[in-house]
Amino acid sequence: MGDYAFPPPPVVALATTSGRPFPVRRIFCVGQNYSEHAREMGGDPDADPPFFFTKPADAIASGAVIPYPPATFDFQHEVELVVAFGGGGRDIEPGRVDELIFGYAVGLDMTRRDLQAAAKKKGRPWDMSKGFDFSAPCGAITPKAETGPLAKGAIECKVNGQTRQRGDLSDMIWKVPEIVRFLSALVEIKAGDLIFTGTPAGVSPVFKGDDIEATIAGLRPLTIRIG
Ligand code: MN
């Protein structure tokens, strides 16, 4: 080992408010986890257990500017609470989830909505509408030791100073312990994994030059410009 065909890619890492960076392993995302957003997407908030999709770890964007992506005319923001894991396991009981959480951050599940709508219509996968380059801007992680378990608090997204999304973490259909119970029944969660926990209503398109400010009470805000 060590003599690779080419240099291996660098570890993707997120800043933390406590010092040492957090190495990212995988990114899981929950779909339609706030009732009003589920309705605006044409879903039924009461219908099903949570469903998941993924983004590659190197979709993380922690710079101040992300490029407007190719192949879309409808590039949309989704502000989300991000849960970062310092431990993991399979079939995790809700009562054990808190001890496995390293911390929380503000994230944006950036979406090529036109590609997603086309994929939904044909029953095709969402990868190219959700998991493209720079599709996962994420702010610094605040350790759980500083926040406690985050179950309520304002979550908001402004574009050029105007509020587009506003909700409360307590409005989640599936709370974090339940999300982890379902996800860990599908895959073994490991340290370094992130879960984007869904977005409140009000998703809308952004354009080159727009400034996005995503905030969650108690966490470091995330601000990015579309370049
Ligand atoms: Mn989302």
Side-chain angles (χ1 to χ4, degrees):
M1 295 298 279
D3 190 19
Y4 296 103
F6 53 87
V11 172
V12 175
L14 282 169
T16 69
T17 62
S18 60
R20 291 185 298 174
F22 177 95
V24 176
R25 186 167 189 273
R26 294 174 296 184
I27 305 173
F28 298 99
C29 305
V30 184
Q32 301 185 359
N33 198 29
Y34 290 74
S35 298
E36 280 181 48
H37 173 67
R39 285 189 204 96
E40 77 179 349
M41 290 290 108
D44 177 355
D46 303 318
D48 294 310
F51 69 92
F52 300 94
F53 58 93
T54 62
K55 296 176 187 259
D58 61 7
I60 289 283
S62 46
V65 179
I66 62 164
Y68 193 96
T72 185
F73 297 99
D74 193 6
F75 183 42
Q76 297 200 355
H77 56 78
E78 298 188 359
V79 60
E80 312 206 353
L81 173 69
V82 178
V83 181
F85 286 85
R90 292 191 182 93
D91 297 317
I92 300 166
E93 290 301 322
R96 277 198 55 231
V97 169
D98 188 51
E99 68 193 65
L100 303 173
I101 293 175
F102 174 88
Y104 302 95
V106 181
L108 286 162
D109 168 16
M110 299 303 293
T111 302
R112 296 196 275 215
R113 192 72 69 199
D114 41 3
L115 296 194
Q116 186 194 28
K120 281 183 180 177
K121 201 177 283 181
K122 293 189 171 180
R124 287 181 176 167
W126 289 8
D127 302 51
M128 292 301 112
S129 60
K130 289 288 198 179
F132 50 96
D133 299 339
F134 304 98
S135 61
C138 193
I141 297 172
T142 302
K144 183 195 58 187
E146 293 176 31
T147 62
L150 269 195
K152 57 181 166 42
I155 176 169
E156 191 168 352
C157 184
K158 291 181 181 176
V159 177
N160 302 327
Q162 286 196 316
T163 300
R164 299 270 183 92
Q165 295 183 267
R166 180 185 281 163
D168 195 283
L169 300 178
S170 62
D171 296 333
M172 283 187 198
I173 297 168
W174 298 100
K175 317 299 183 196
V176 171
E178 290 294 316
I179 291 169
V180 174
R181 182 168 70 84
F182 280 102
L183 181 60
S184 67
L186 295 166
V187 294
E188 180 179 357
I189 293 177
K190 295 195 174 181
D193 287 342
L194 303 176
I195 302 179
F196 281 57
T197 56
T199 198
V203 298
S204 66
V206 289
F207 303 94
K208 279 181 189 173
D210 281 350
D211 289 309
I212 304 179
E213 184 182 4
T215 55
I216 293 174
L219 301 181
R220 187 83 61 87
L222 169 63
T223 56
I224 58 164
R225 171 165 293 180
I226 310 302

